[in-house]
Amino acid sequence: QVQVVESGGGLVQPGGSLRLSCTVSGLNFDEYGMGWFRQAPGKEREGVSSISWRGGTTHYADSVKGRFTISRDNAKNTLYLQMNSLTPEDTAMYYCATARTIYSLLIPSDYNYWGQGTQVTVSS
């Protein structure tokens, strides 16, 4: 049984930083690409960033490029998202997902296992 668990969300002031973590169990983590998605109230789910199975290739949505950094530690079965220079527009539930292959862009149907999400709120 595959489990995907996100953590690290919270309330942060504009301009602040957060680091999200995602721990995966029940599959060979180092054989699959991973991705972060987010969904704000009343909006559709949006792809944020993805990373290949060994971390050599990454992809970012234009809205977060230069501010967010995705990384992974295959020895710990953990995915990270470092978020800097946060703005209120980054407020959303953030989800981690496992790709069906070694790498995928931010197409939700390319991901098969999803976590329950961690809330990020950027507000003063």
Side-chain angles (χ1 to χ4, degrees), residues 13 32 40 52-53 60 76 80 92 114:
Q13 292 188 340
Y32 298 94
S52 60
W53 61 322
Y60 297 93
K76 296 182 178 180
Y80 302 100
W114 296 76

Side-chain angles (χ1 to χ4, degrees), residues 8-12 16-20 68 81-86 119-122:
L11 173 64
V12 62
S17 298
L18 280 176
R19 188 174 84 153
L20 305 184
F68 290 11
L81 185 68
Q82 178 67 43
M83 306 186 296
N84 299 328
S85 303
L86 286 162
Q119 178 67 39
V120 172
T121 302
V122 184

Side-chain angles (χ1 to χ4, degrees), residues 14-118:
S17 298
L18 280 176
R19 188 174 84 153
L20 305 184
S21 299
C22 170
T23 302
V24 180
S25 61
L27 55 67
N28 294 330
F29 181 77
D30 59 0
E31 293 182 0
Y32 298 94
M34 295 292 298
W36 286 101
F37 294 79
R38 67 185 182 185
Q39 188 166 19
K43 294 187 177 181
E44 295 202 355
R45 183 171 46 187
E46 172 191 22
V48 175
S49 182
S50 63
I51 189 168
S52 60
W53 61 322
R54 293 185 177 179
T57 302
T58 58
H59 175 72
Y60 297 93
D62 288 342
S63 57
V64 307
K65 203 170 292 183
R67 300 187 298 122
F68 290 11
T69 303
I70 191 171
S71 62
R72 63 190 296 163
D73 185 338
N74 285 348
K76 296 182 178 180
N77 284 14
T78 301
L79 176 74
Y80 302 100
L81 185 68
Q82 178 67 43
M83 306 186 296
N84 299 328
S85 303
L86 286 162
T87 74
E89 288 68 38
D90 296 314
T91 295
M93 185 72 79
Y94 282 71
Y95 299 92
C96 167
T98 64
R100 299 179 189 273
T101 63
I102 61 173
Y103 177 63
S104 178
L105 295 178
L106 297 169
I107 303 171
S109 60
D110 287 349
Y111 293 78
N112 50 357
Y113 297 106
W114 296 76
Q116 294 298 307
T118 185

